[in-house]
Amino acid sequence: AEALLLLIARYGFHRLVFRGLDILWMAPISLAVLGTLAAVPLASLARSRVGRRWPGLPFFVLALLILLNVSPDIPKVHALARLILLAGIAAAAGRQAAKHAGVVLRFVQMTLVPLLAMVVLLALGVRGGRRIQERRALAALPRAAPAAPNVLFLMLDTVRALDLSLYGYSRLTSPALDRLAARAVVFERAYAPSSWTLNSHAAVFTGHRPFETGVGWTTPLDRRFPTLAEALRARGYTTAGFSANPYYVTREAGLARGFIHFDDRRIAPKTVLLASSLAATISTPIRKALHWYRTPEHKSAARLRGELSTWLTTQPTTRPFFVFANFFDAHAPYLPPAPFDTAFTGRRVPWAARKLDLTFPRAVTVQEAAVERDAYDQVVAAQDYQIGVLFEELEARGLLQNTLIIVTADHGEEFGEWGFLSHGNSLNPAALWVPLLLVLPGDRGAGTRIREPVSLLDLSATILTLADPTRQSELPGSSLVGEGVPRPAAQPTPLVAELEYAPDTPTWFQHSEGPLRAVTLPDWHYIRENDRREILLDIRSDPAGRRATLTQQPAQTALRIARAVLDSLIPAAPIH
């Protein structure tokens, strides 16, 4: 029943659900374990004086558990009111079940074995079906172009340029990327198209602006535009995706399209046991009380590195590969592993000093932001170490020869620059300025630094052009590098970022009343809130954009340019 409701939401209403098809067999196992654990006390209750007096009580408990599992949270209905409503339904069901207890128990006995068989078949169907699909897709690949380079695309979820030593940060947070930069073309001013994951990934994968892709907080990417993986697959590439983000970089989010192999959700005993909604609801407060802030499906950077490396070593070398990987360790709640949990501060940040859910009913203070930033820098450094190990492993196995390497981030993070913490609630520069490194085959352009602002919207077109310079890119945008490596001084695509309206958010969030759009110019960052309020930030002297002005003469020129860019785009963008 739970799986059916999720499938209806996903495919019937095109709503984003944060559960994969494995829920079809994982949720029944999870509920079977919970039911078994509940059986002993319920059996004792049934035989007790209370149970004999109220024979429907055990059935009531079971019915309530079932209803809690399959009934979704109702917007704007208090959790206690929902519980009372479900308890009333369960009480009525329990009374009826007690009256017909013999029929109910015979039904359970008759259906138990068939249901167990169904679970086994579903597990084999989902897991085995994907392997069959992979083999068929590999067999159907067209011939690749001669000497086509491999493509390795690393997306560092939530890593902002401001906190990387690669970009001048005082703390040595990115030594692996610093070493890679000696072989790479480094873009000093790369900006993401949005400040949260699905919006940004969809735009990067398709080359279309976030508002064009149609994705939203609960809306996955649809099939209106082709993706980078689809384009490379059509060119004969073996395509594989690996994601540590279990929410927005998943099959359900629409980002697996074009990948022959896509590994998003971790399957382990604990993820199976906690797969059902009921198990997740019960375990969440327990995990928080025990300071287990990692979700069960969390993939550490070390685990993701192992999955990616293992897959690459098992692939034939007769055709080029396109491998995409999303590393997620730098995302909240910032839990650095040892020995990085004492880096930069010389001590572990105490749990009591942390705001691990990052929910603040007001603007954060400098002190609050500093504590979270310490932990953030530690996880960035820990993840950077794993990336360095990955490159060493692949280099030792000869897997980086004739390989185009891309390292970037889907968005940044804010630590009190404008009172905000986290991301996805503004279009301030700290949330959009991201690292971008391109290692070209043969280390062409090694050590080049590009100072002009660039947009990740051009990244897919760049990859397709570099994969085959004789062929036109199937996706919109322009290559960020030319044959001589340095790109033209003029940016062909406007540096536009967008963030959709988010209802029921704090009123001081920039997107609480309507959509946001931003334009980044060489010296200025312009934000338009809900097509009414305007903000112009000076990023020439302060890349974090903590100073606003609308009065200086250069600012007036920047305002005219930014307004003209957005006015040309707004008719094509949805207005909420």
Side-chain angles (χ1 to χ4, degrees):
E2 178 180 15
L4 179 62
L5 291 173
L6 292 172
L7 290 173
I8 291 173
R10 175 63 180 87
Y11 297 103
F13 295 95
H14 194 59
R15 309 304 291 172
L16 179 58
V17 297
F18 300 110
R19 319 282 280 281
L21 279 179
D22 288 296
I23 194 70
L24 292 171
W25 61 271
M26 290 169 59
I29 293 176
S30 172
L31 292 170
V33 172
L34 286 177
T36 302
L37 292 175
V40 173
L42 285 178
S44 300
L45 178 63
R47 293 183 176 89
S48 67
R49 180 181 302 176
V50 175
R52 288 193 296 269
R53 184 173 181 180
W54 290 293
L57 189 57
F59 290 104
F60 160 75
V61 175
L62 286 174
L64 182 58
L65 292 177
I66 292 170
L67 290 170
L68 286 171
N69 186 71
V70 299
S71 63
D73 291 333
I74 305 171
K76 299 185 179 180
V77 172
H78 195 279
L80 181 58
R82 171 174 170 265
L83 180 61
I84 293 172
L85 175 63
L86 296 180
I89 299 172
R95 284 194 297 269
Q96 292 301 315
K99 291 179 181 178
H100 307 284
V103 175
V104 172
L105 294 177
R106 282 195 299 272
F107 175 78
V108 170
Q109 292 169 346
M110 290 172 57
T111 58
L112 180 59
V113 173
L115 286 174
L116 289 174
M118 183 186 298
V119 171
V120 173
L121 290 174
L122 285 170
L124 294 174
V126 173
R127 307 302 295 180
R130 286 176 180 165
R131 294 189 179 184
I132 294 172
Q133 288 177 344
E134 285 186 25
R135 286 198 294 268
R136 290 178 176 174
L138 286 171
L141 281 175
R143 186 185 300 274
N150 300 314
V151 180
L152 177 61
F153 187 170
L154 305 186
M155 185 75 84
L156 313 183
D157 207 303
T158 321
V159 172
R160 69 183 199 163
L162 280 165
D163 281 43
L164 295 181
S165 51
L166 174 66
Y167 290 92
Y169 188 44
S170 58
R171 290 174 169 175
L172 187 60
T173 54
S174 58
L177 294 185
D178 296 347
R179 293 191 297 270
L180 187 67
R183 302 174 47 202
V185 178
V186 179
F187 294 84
E188 295 186 350
R189 302 274 303 282
Y191 290 88
S194 189
S195 61
W196 70 286
T197 297
L198 183 53
N199 245 5
S200 188
H201 275 76
V204 171
F205 279 10
T206 64
H208 288 269
R209 293 176 13 244
F211 282 3
E212 292 178 323
T213 64
V215 303
W217 302 107
T218 59
T219 306
L221 178 66
D222 59 26
R223 295 182 173 272
R224 75 181 72 179
F225 299 122
T227 65
L228 174 63
E230 286 179 316
L232 288 171
R233 180 171 167 177
R235 295 185 180 197
Y237 276 74
T238 302
T239 56
F242 299 85
S243 172
N245 185 327
Y247 310 110
Y248 286 116
V249 187
T250 57
R251 295 176 186 272
E252 295 70 50
L255 296 181
R257 185 154 45 90
F259 289 103
I260 295 173
H261 176 84
F262 197 80
D263 194 336
D264 51 357
R265 300 189 182 281
R266 181 183 176 191
I267 305 298
K270 64 180 179 181
T271 59
V272 175
L273 293 177
L274 298 177
S276 64
S277 298
L278 181 60
T281 301
I282 294 173
S283 66
T284 297
I286 297 174
R287 288 191 297 105
K288 288 185 177 181
L290 297 175
H291 298 305
W292 294 346
Y293 291 99
R294 287 295 188 198
T295 57
E297 65 269 24
H298 171 70
K299 279 187 189 179
S300 66
R303 179 177 293 276
L304 187 69
R305 169 183 61 80
E307 291 177 355
L308 191 158
S309 181
T310 300
W311 184 88
L312 278 173
T313 56
T314 60
Q315 298 306 302
T317 58
T318 54
R319 64 171 62 252
F321 62 76
F322 166 53
V323 171
F324 167 81
N326 172 286
F327 285 82
F328 196 59
D329 276 14
H331 195 283
Y334 320 136
L335 301 177
F340 295 93
D341 54 350
T342 58
F344 314 125
T345 61
R347 62 181 181 85
R348 293 182 180 88
V349 179
W351 296 113
R354 299 285 312 283
K355 187 68 174 179
L356 291 157
D357 57 1
L358 298 190
T359 55
F360 283 82
R362 49 168 173 73
V364 299
T365 65
V366 174
Q367 293 76 16
E368 290 168 335
V371 171
E372 298 303 325
R373 191 175 184 182
D374 286 341
Y376 174 80
D377 288 345
Q378 291 169 345
V379 292
V380 168
Q383 181 174 269
D384 178 82
Y385 170 78
Q386 294 298 332
I387 292 169
V389 173
L390 173 65
F391 286 134
E392 291 175 0
E393 291 177 346
L394 299 183
E395 190 73 56
R397 297 171 186 172
L399 293 172
L400 294 185
Q401 296 177 3
N402 191 33
T403 298
L404 167 64
I405 302 172
I406 305 98
V407 181
T408 188
D410 55 345
H411 54 76
E413 192 82 323
E414 293 193 62
F415 290 98
E417 283 80 12
W418 280 86
F420 295 111
L421 197 64
S422 187
H423 57 269
N425 45 36
S426 82
L427 289 180
N428 293 327
L432 298 176
W433 184 25
V434 294
L436 177 58
L437 297 86
L438 299 181
V439 179
L440 308 183
D443 289 355
R444 287 190 297 118
T448 302
R449 290 259 178 172
I450 306 296
R451 291 181 171 82
E452 293 88 353
V454 299
S455 170
L456 296 191
L457 280 175
D458 286 323
L459 197 49
S460 284
T462 302
I463 293 170
L464 292 172
T465 301
L466 292 172
D468 187 354
T470 66
R471 184 170 175 176
Q472 186 176 2
S473 169
E474 295 90 331
L475 303 180
S478 303
S479 179
L480 296 174
V481 296
E483 292 184 5
V485 176
R487 61 178 296 280
Q491 169 69 9
T493 304
L495 269 65
V496 175
E498 295 169 319
L499 182 63
E500 66 266 38
Y501 167 57
D504 301 323
T505 54
T507 56
W508 55 280
F509 282 11
Q510 287 183 354
H511 64 341
S512 63
E513 296 182 356
L516 304 180
R517 297 172 183 86
V519 176
T520 302
L521 303 172
D523 297 328
W524 306 93
H525 185 80
Y526 171 83
I527 303 171
R528 183 182 293 180
E529 295 184 7
N530 197 22
D531 298 324
R532 291 196 299 268
R533 182 172 178 242
E534 295 178 308
I535 302 173
L536 188 66
L537 306 176
D538 178 4
I539 57 175
R540 173 183 49 191
S541 56
D542 179 18
R546 285 166 291 204
R547 286 188 287 276
T549 179
L550 290 174
T551 58
Q552 300 176 13
Q553 186 56 42
Q556 294 300 311
T557 302
L559 274 175
R560 286 194 297 271
I561 296 172
R563 286 169 178 165
V565 169
L566 287 191
D567 289 343
S568 68
L569 299 177
I570 284 177
I575 302 297
H576 296 262

